[in-house]
Amino acid sequence: AQKVTQAQTEISVVEKEDVTLDCVYETRDTTYYLFWYKQPPSGELVFLIRRNSFDEQNEISGRYSWNFQKSTSSFNFTITASQVVDSAVYFCALGDVDYKLSFGAGTTVTVRA
Amino acid sequence: DSGVTQTPKHLITATGQRVTLRCSPRSGDLSVYWYQQSLDQGLQFLIQYYNGEERAKGNILERFSAQQFPDLHSELNLSSLELGDSALYFCASSVERQDSGNTIYFGEGSWLTVV
């Protein structure tokens, strides 16, 4: 069975602070996919990143960066120099070979001005 | 804009009724997924269709059914609605690419309120 744990329920930071969101996953599959999605207050799910299980290369996209470590089954997400517009719920998800996603419970990020 | 279109955006209906949620996938995407997001269960996978055929089933109730049509749009039918069915229903689509793998894009969701 696939399982995703986002231990942090809520994180509150002041603008320009960095924030790191933790994601730990469990799977018996050798091939799997990891995703991060952002859900702003308007409700839509916005795709942020996908990584394959065989690609542990970390990635940076603007103020966003992701650290994938298979040894610890973690796929953490960092927002650098946070902004008020980053306030949202962030979901980590684990996909199987059919790309069925198992989501974590989400982490609510509040960035205060 | 993800390119996945869902209608209606909001729906209020009474218990016992039946509703149909519609999804148009991104152009070229063959797979359609349905997810339910509720306060108590979080985001849960319901069902997946690939090019008109059911491919995978998740935690979908027997009162719910879905289909994907030849033009690749999909419908999720919810019947004998109960208060607990109130949720945000998402449709997502993807296409499998050998070079870059698969990226799954979600629509804006259909908010269903059962009263």
Side-chain angles (χ1 to χ4, degrees):
Chain A
Q2 317 259 52
K3 184 179 178 182
V4 177
T5 301
Q6 293 180 255
Q8 304 145 309
T9 305
E10 294 184 38
I11 299 177
S12 181
V13 297
V14 176
E15 213 170 13
K16 296 184 184 176
E17 286 185 357
D18 297 347
V19 56
T20 295
L21 310 182
D22 298 333
C23 173
V24 174
Y25 62 91
E26 294 176 32
T27 180
R28 293 182 181 177
D29 296 342
T30 53
T31 299
Y32 53 89
Y33 307 90
L34 295 164
F35 297 78
W36 276 95
Y37 288 88
K38 173 183 179 180
Q39 187 173 40
S42 50
E44 72 269 27
L45 279 171
V46 179
F47 167 80
L48 296 178
I49 190 172
R50 176 191 55 81
R51 294 228 68 87
N52 304 331
S53 55
F54 45 85
D55 180 6
E56 283 192 73
Q57 187 175 8
N58 292 327
E59 184 157 335
I60 297 174
S61 176
R63 296 184 296 105
Y64 295 168
S65 61
W66 290 270
N67 183 344
F68 176 24
Q69 292 193 340
K70 275 181 89 168
S71 60
T72 56
S73 297
S74 64
F75 185 42
N76 297 336
F77 171 33
T78 297
I79 304 172
T80 302
S82 60
Q83 300 176 2
V84 172
V85 293
D86 295 326
S87 297
V89 182
Y90 291 85
F91 290 95
C92 179
L94 171 63
D96 64 11
V97 290
D98 290 322
Y99 291 90
K100 302 189 305 293
L101 301 184
S102 298
F103 283 86
T107 299
T108 300
V109 173
T110 303
V111 182
R112 308 185 309 276
Chain B
D1 183 2
S2 68
V4 180
T5 304
Q6 289 188 245
T7 57
K9 288 190 169 33
H10 298 273
L11 191 56
I12 301 175
T13 190
T15 54
Q17 295 298 305
R18 172 190 169 96
V19 299
T20 296
L21 309 181
R22 195 177 190 279
C23 170
S24 293
R26 296 190 319 147
S27 177
D29 285 2
L30 301 178
S31 273
V32 169
Y33 310 77
W34 286 97
Y35 286 82
Q36 179 195 58
Q37 185 178 25
S38 61
L39 284 175
D40 53 348
Q41 300 286 341
L43 268 160
Q44 286 197 103
F45 167 73
L46 295 179
I47 197 164
Q48 177 196 3
Y49 279 82
Y50 178 80
N51 204 19
E53 304 263 333
E54 182 184 302
R55 197 175 211 183
K57 241 178 180 177
N59 300 323
I60 187 166
L61 300 173
E62 285 191 10
R63 300 183 286 108
F64 296 179
S65 65
Q67 53 184 327
Q68 186 179 27
F69 296 87
D71 66 352
L72 300 178
H73 91 270
S74 177
E75 293 181 355
L76 178 67
N77 300 296
L78 315 175
S79 61
S80 303
L81 285 167
E82 303 174 359
L83 295 178
D85 297 327
S86 296
L88 180 55
Y89 291 85
F90 284 107
C91 171
S93 75
S94 70
V95 62
E96 294 171 23
R97 293 186 173 88
Q98 293 297 322
D99 55 344
S100 62
N102 211 353
T103 296
I104 302 173
Y105 291 95
F106 283 78
E108 294 186 350
S110 293
W111 291 88
L112 172 66
T113 302
V114 182
V115 296

